[in-house]
Amino acid sequence: MCGIYGITSKKIISNKLFNGLKKLEYRGYDSSGIAGLSQGNKNLVIKSTGPINHLKKKLKTIANISTGIAHTRWATHGEPLLKNTHPHNSGIIDIVHNGIIENYEDIKLYLIKKKYAFKSDTDSEVIAHLINYNYNKCKDMRSALIKSVKILEGSYAIGAINSDLPDKLFAASNGSPLIIAKGTNENYIASDISPVLKDTQKYLTLGDGEFAELSPEKVIIFDKKNKYLIKKVITTSLKDRQVSLAGHKHFMHKEIYEQKAILNEMMSRYVGQASLLPNIFGPNTDRILSKIKHIHFVACGTSYHASLVAKDWIEQHSTITCTAEVASEYKYKKINILPDTLFVCISQSGETADTISSLKKAKRLGYKDTLAICNVAESTLTRLSNLVFLMNAGPEISVASTKAFTSQLFSLLLLSIIVSRSTEESEKKMVSDMKQLDKIINSVYKLESEIKKISSKFKNKDHTLFLGKGGTYPIALEGALKLKEISYIHASAYHSGELKHGPLALVDKKMPVVCFLPDNHLAKLVLSNLAEVEARQGQTFIFTNKKIPRKNKQVEIIKMPDCPDLIVPILYIIPAQLLSYHVALKKKTDVDKPRNLAKSVTVE
Ligand code: M6R
């Protein structure tokens, strides 16, 4: 995905545009650019490859602009080169685009015949030329925009400026998020609310097939027939400091530490003395969910790992059968649906393309109900699903997901309790286990200095193994994903019992093996799997509350607090997050913006 920001103002906006764009950098950081207009001037453009800070030196070129569009790119069509960096220009028109134009090659051929010269390898450039072509014919920017997007196939959020109209900013959206925010003597377009929070809390979401024309005093929303639309203006409770570092060196670190407060807040919102509060998944959901016999979970990446934990929780505590699929597979599979099956999709952003198309498929297939567990209220996923549960974890900026994962786990634990409770007693026990989280979580954070020390043992490694069993297998997967994402060390996760079926061949005295070993009914089995590693002199890093002797220097034991089995996944992932964070720090990688990734993946 990419980030779009635009302002039309009565004041000079070059610095504001640059600072706001930085708030969107988590959406892509291959290259960035700004195009602006000032009274009497032609389009002024600056572009840079790499992080947004590279643009700073060029800001003086656009020193006088009062209307402008900015873009931070996550490359899909065309390498991350200057020529492919947005904004794209066509004479008096500049545009920024997020999404994919599927039929861009056909449009390009058509426009080449009309003598338009292309400078980039992107799909986006056709939008600039198309608008220019249509504007030249009718000299009306709204009609030109409507005519142009009629031809586009795919998804788009578009911001556009026209030097004939120096105080106007235009936008169009279809399947890619774009908000319109209202300020004082200035108005904004943005991919999300974060860049405008310093100036305003008031915004509306541009829906599919909708357009906007903004000037410093006015916002006009219109549809494909150029008919004005009245849209509800929302006032967000988000504050600018929630998208700031608040004293932490990285967003990832801040978000790891936010987990305690978020879980606490969710606890007080949804959990009573000895039972859950009624209908927390929406009106009548207790009745709907009590009839469910099967659940199909679908998600990607970290969210998929959360679904694996939920599958384990539900199957352990009920007779419900669950499947958990990654969305990019679900979309293309034949799905057998038994009666009373619930479809659950999980997504931090609510904008992951694979998850969205899976939900669309699920709706076509006719499940009893669809439930979206999501962190972003105004997202495509929440708009499409008939049941919605909002995690309310606040904006997650770090590309590596941390607080979203534990909030997803908490939400799924609520779901697990609802679908599994058979008696008041069984609910009471689960709720009482869950309530211990708040107390125990503090001792997990206290492990940070110890984890920091052991992180140096990973710094020069190229490979690691992560092991878990039962409820900790998804934690091994998630721990390995975190390490890969931000330290670029290869990490593979296995069920500990699978080791002897192959991966053990990799183990020698240089191979670090991270293991999650809560003291439960599976502990003995995991210990014998670890003995297989130790016999080959592998370096083990064991997160455990079990009393086990440290036999030699090859064994590191990180003492976890005692806790009920039910909350093991939530507690054991936190030290794994801290471990990957400190390894990444030692390797001096860009923790919040790991190479080749973007915060949410809006392409299939
Ligand atoms: O926004 P989503 O939860 O749908 O995103 C799914 C994955 O792209 C995401 O979890 C990804 O794996 C993270 N970078 C993991 O840290």
Side-chain angles (χ1 to χ4, degrees), residues 278-570:
N279 293 317
I280 54 189
F281 284 86
N284 277 326
T285 44
D286 281 356
R287 193 181 47 78
I288 297 171
L289 295 174
S290 68
K291 296 202 172 76
I292 290 302
K293 295 199 177 74
H294 314 281
I295 302 181
H296 289 177
F297 290 105
V298 175
C300 302
T302 289
S303 305
Y304 166 68
H305 297 155
S307 76
L308 290 176
V309 176
K311 172 176 156 61
D312 188 66
W313 272 330
I314 294 170
E315 291 184 336
Q316 286 293 323
H317 293 94
S318 74
T319 53
I320 294 172
T321 55
C322 302
T323 61
E325 295 274 2
V326 288
S328 53
E329 289 297 311
Y330 178 90
K331 276 189 322 189
Y332 301 105
K333 277 181 89 158
K334 175 174 175 279
I335 306 295
N336 297 324
I337 309 172
L338 293 166
D340 299 317
T341 303
L342 173 71
F343 175 89
V344 180
C345 54
I346 307 159
S347 172
Q348 189 286 129
S349 60
E351 299 298 344
T352 302
D354 288 327
T355 313
I356 292 169
S357 30
S358 296
L359 173 58
K360 286 183 180 161
K361 172 172 175 174
K363 292 184 78 167
R364 284 196 304 274
L365 289 176
Y367 281 84
K368 186 159 172 31
D369 275 293
T370 60
L371 166 65
I373 296 180
C374 196
N375 195 31
V376 181
E378 288 291 322
S379 60
T380 309
L381 218 58
T382 58
R383 285 201 291 271
L384 287 176
S385 182
N386 66 324
L387 301 176
V388 173
F389 183 84
L390 283 178
M391 285 140 51
N392 283 312
E396 191 180 61
I397 306 293
S398 162
V399 166
S401 191
T402 54
K403 65 174 182 175
F405 182 64
T406 45
S407 313
Q408 286 165 345
L409 290 185
F410 195 92
S411 320
L412 290 162
L413 186 50
L414 295 171
L415 179 69
S416 307
I417 295 176
I418 293 171
V419 298
S420 310
R421 58 188 167 196
S422 46
T423 59
E424 264 179 38
E425 272 317 295
S426 64
E427 180 168 5
K428 194 173 167 188
K429 166 79 175 88
M430 287 203 215
V431 165
S432 125
D433 285 354
M434 190 179 196
K435 284 192 157 181
Q436 296 194 41
L437 253 177
D438 185 43
K439 199 169 55 183
I440 305 177
I441 205 166
N442 292 325
S443 31
V444 177
Y445 287 120
K446 284 189 187 138
L447 295 171
E448 182 166 10
S449 54
E450 191 184 341
I451 289 171
K452 194 172 168 182
K453 266 190 226 143
I454 64 166
S455 66
S456 54
K457 300 201 173 179
F458 288 77
K459 191 186 152 193
N460 298 317
K461 300 290 179 187
D462 293 323
H463 306 279
T464 54
L465 292 176
F466 279 66
L467 303 179
K469 191 170 183 70
T472 61
Y473 170 62
I475 301 309
L477 284 169
E478 176 59 10
L481 178 65
K482 288 289 89 85
L483 191 70
K484 277 184 278 215
E485 267 187 304
I486 60 167
S487 76
Y488 316 147
I489 295 174
H490 169 240
S492 287
Y494 288 94
H495 296 278
S496 63
E498 275 292 292
L499 208 57
K500 56 187 174 294
H501 298 291
L504 200 55
L506 295 169
V507 174
D508 61 15
K509 63 175 186 286
K510 286 187 251 131
M511 175 63 98
V513 180
V514 178
C515 181
F516 302 101
L517 174 62
D519 190 4
N520 60 19
H521 64 291
L522 300 170
K524 259 193 183 165
L525 298 163
V526 180
L527 275 175
S528 58
N529 300 141
L530 279 175
E532 296 156 12
V533 175
E534 285 160 18
R536 275 99 191 153
Q537 297 173 329
Q539 283 187 308
T540 52
F541 298 85
I542 311 169
F543 291 86
T544 187
N545 61 325
K546 198 168 171 60
K547 288 189 182 58
I548 43 177
R550 188 182 179 208
K551 291 177 210 140
N552 54 53
K553 278 208 302 216
Q554 286 289 88
V555 181
E556 289 285 353
I557 294 165
I558 304 95
K559 188 85 184 72
M560 292 292 288
D562 291 335
C563 71
D565 225 24
L566 194 68
I567 56 172
V568 156
I570 303 180

Side-chain angles (χ1 to χ4, degrees), residues 571-583:
L571 286 172
Y572 274 63
I573 193 57
I574 296 173
Q577 295 168 343
L578 286 167
L579 176 65
S580 51
Y581 175 73
H582 283 288
V583 177

